[in-house]
Amino acid sequence: MGRPPCCDKAGLKKGPWTPEEDIILVSYIQQHGPANWRAVPTHTGLLRCSKSCRLRWTNYLRPGIKRGNFTDHEEKLIIHLQALLGNRWAAIASYLPQRTDNDIKNYWNTNLKKKLKKINGSESYSREGFSSEKHQISRGQWERKLQTDIQMAKQALSDALSPEKSSGLASKPRGYASSTENIAKLLKKWMRNPPKPASSDNMGGIGTPWKENKSSNSIEMSEVFESLEVFESFDSSNSDFSQSLSPDQASLFQDESKPEVNELGQLTLLEKWLFDDGANQGKDDQLSDIKLDGNAIFF
DNA sequence: AAATATCGCAACCGCTCTTGC
DNA sequence: CGCAAGAGCGGTTGCGATATT
C-alpha cells in the first residue's frame, strides 16, 4: 500500500531547471517567502512538483549559498563532523551555513571518501574504517583515539566559527552568492557558451534546460535581465533585501539561512561538549552518553 | 581527431518525520 | 488516536564535462 506520489506526475517536467523557471521561482519566493511549497506550482504555473521547487530553492537559488571549491577548512570540518555524526548531511550542513547538505554529500562522495582512503589506508575517519579499526585495537586505545578525533573536531569547529579565520563563514553577506548572483552567473555562462543549433528540437523555450537551451530566441536575454531587475534587492546584501520585505517575509528569509552556530546558547549538548575546554573531568560520563546515542560514534 | 572512461554535480526517488484535522 | 498531506532527509541516478587512450 504505497503512498501516492507527492503530486500528479503526469505532465510535470523533470530534469534540469531553465533560467526562466528559476526566475519564476525566485520571483514567487521573493513575494511570498519560502513556504507552502504545495502552492508554488499552482501559483507560478511551473510544471514542476512542489518537491522539485523546494529542492531547487534550497540547493541552488537560496540566498547565501556558496558554490564551488571547498576550502581546506571546510574539508576538515566535514571530515570530522562526518566521523562524529555519520552521514547526517543536514546536521553536518548546519555547521557550514553556506553549504547545502546536497553539496556536502556530493563533495564527500566524490572527493573526501577517496582522499581519506588514499591518505589513511587502514586508519580512517570513515564509518567503515572507524568500525573496523575499533575491532582491531583495545577499547582503551580506541577511546584515546576517539578523544583525539573529537579534540580535532573541536578545533576544526572553533576554527570554523571564528570570524577572522573563517573566510566569510561568520560574516554572512560577504562571499555569499545571492539568488540573483547565482542566476546571473549561470546566465553569463550560458551566454558565453551560446546554445548549439537545434538538432532534434523538441525542447525549447520554457522547457529548455540551462546547458542546452537551443533556442535563445525563445526568450530574449534582455528580457531575462530585465526580469532580473526585479530581484535587484536580493543582490549581495541580504540586509538590503530584508529591508525591502515585510517583517514576515524578512524573517522568512532570515530563517531560510542556515542557523548561526556561534551562539553558545543555542548549541546542542554535543556542541557544548565540544566547546567545553575546561571540564575534561566527567567527560567520560558524557562520552558514554554519546556512545549510547547509537550511530553518532559507534557505527 | 575520435572513442572511451572517469568524474562531478544537479536532480530525482523513496522513505521517515512532522503537523493538522 | 489515527489518518492524510506536507516537508525533510539520505541514497542514487543521469548526464554533461573533462581526461585518457
Side-chain angles (χ1 to χ4, degrees), chain A residues 48-49 82 119 157 227:
Chain A
R48 299 277 182 173
C49 77
Q82 203 278 343
I119 292 171
L157 187 58
S227 313

Side-chain angles (χ1 to χ4, degrees), chain A residues 98 163 165-176:
Chain A
Q98 297 171 297
K165 285 187 196 171
S166 61
S167 50
L169 245 179
S171 58
K172 222 176 177 182
R174 188 163 328 164
Y176 270 35

Side-chain angles (χ1 to χ4, degrees), chain A residues 29-71:
Chain A
I29 291 170
Q30 188 191 12
Q31 284 166 26
H32 299 92
N36 195 8
W37 292 107
R38 183 77 169 175
V40 175
T42 40
H43 286 138
T44 57
L46 286 168
L47 297 174
R48 299 277 182 173
C49 77
S50 53
K51 209 171 170 179
S52 184
C53 294
R54 180 175 53 80
L55 227 53
R56 182 64 180 172
W57 172 257
T58 52
N59 287 337
Y60 209 82
L61 299 171
R62 178 166 60 88
I65 291 179
K66 184 169 122 192
R67 310 198 65 76
N69 297 342
F70 280 71
T71 63

Side-chain angles (χ1 to χ4, degrees), chain A residues 180-201:
Chain A
T180 317
E181 285 165 341
N182 286 338
I183 293 175
K185 263 185 223 161
L186 286 168
L187 282 171
K188 276 181 199 163
K189 193 177 162 189
W190 191 52
M191 290 173 81
R192 260 204 309 276
N193 306 301
K196 294 167 195 156
S199 46
S200 62
D201 211 349

Side-chain angles (χ1 to χ4, degrees), chain A residues 13-129:
Chain A
K13 193 166 170 284
K14 282 166 75 171
W17 280 65
T18 65
E20 297 93 325
E21 289 176 309
D22 281 345
I23 288 164
I24 292 169
L25 181 59
V26 172
S27 170
Y28 175 83
I29 291 170
Q30 188 191 12
Q31 284 166 26
H32 299 92
N36 195 8
W37 292 107
R38 183 77 169 175
V40 175
T42 40
H43 286 138
T44 57
L46 286 168
L47 297 174
R48 299 277 182 173
C49 77
S50 53
K51 209 171 170 179
S52 184
C53 294
R54 180 175 53 80
L55 227 53
R56 182 64 180 172
W57 172 257
T58 52
N59 287 337
Y60 209 82
L61 299 171
R62 178 166 60 88
I65 291 179
K66 184 169 122 192
R67 310 198 65 76
N69 297 342
F70 280 71
T71 63
D72 283 355
H73 201 79
E74 290 173 313
E75 200 173 291
K76 275 181 201 161
L77 192 54
I78 293 169
I79 291 168
H80 289 300
L81 287 169
Q82 203 278 343
L84 286 169
L85 303 170
N87 294 357
R88 290 161 63 190
W89 305 116
I92 293 173
S94 67
Y95 291 87
L96 292 145
Q98 297 171 297
R99 303 289 187 179
T100 68
D101 53 354
N102 207 36
D103 227 13
I104 293 170
K105 180 173 62 183
N106 280 336
Y107 188 64
W108 174 265
N109 286 329
T110 55
N111 290 287
L112 296 181
K113 243 183 187 174
K114 285 179 223 159
K115 217 178 243 186
L116 286 176
K117 207 179 252 179
K118 209 184 254 181
I119 292 171
N120 293 324
S122 63
E123 181 193 14
S124 171
Y125 291 106
S126 71
R127 281 168 164 250
E128 302 90 326

